[in-house]
Amino acid sequence: MKVASVCILLAVLLCSAAVADATVYAYASTCARCKSIGAKYCGYGTLRTKGVSCDGQTMIRSCADCKARFGRCVDSYITECFL
């Protein structure tokens, strides 16, 4: 392979890994709402400021997923979804 081809392939693999590893932190008003998006646990550490944390949730992987569930998404250094 040429060096340019190897560089392009490496760039594609790195970008794919970055997208696959993206984490969205989800918060909801109730534990039941967290469970509805596949959360394994409900954390109550930030109840007053953000709501119940939906630990281990599996359904929201992007801001688009959050908005599809009528949530508010904050995408900065970390991505947060408030349901």
Side-chain angles (χ1 to χ4, degrees):
M1 275 192 192
K2 294 182 181 178
V3 174
S5 298
V6 172
C7 288
I8 291 171
L9 180 61
L10 182 61
V12 169
L13 288 173
L14 289 175
C15 288
S16 298
V19 170
D21 290 337
T23 301
V24 176
Y25 295 95
Y27 303 94
S29 55
T30 65
C31 188
R33 182 78 170 115
C34 282
K35 296 287 185 176
S36 74
I37 59 168
K40 294 178 183 173
Y41 308 103
C42 300
Y44 291 96
T46 58
L47 184 61
R48 289 186 180 166
T49 57
K50 295 183 178 182
V52 179
S53 64
C54 304
D55 302 334
Q57 64 85 20
T58 56
M59 298 180 128
I60 298 176
R61 299 188 181 272
S62 66
C63 277
D65 292 343
C66 178
K67 291 175 183 175
R69 288 174 169 60
F70 305 105
R72 179 178 56 89
C73 185
V74 176
D75 194 9
S76 57
Y77 182 69
I78 61 171
T79 304
E80 296 177 303
C81 176
F82 300 94
L83 300 169

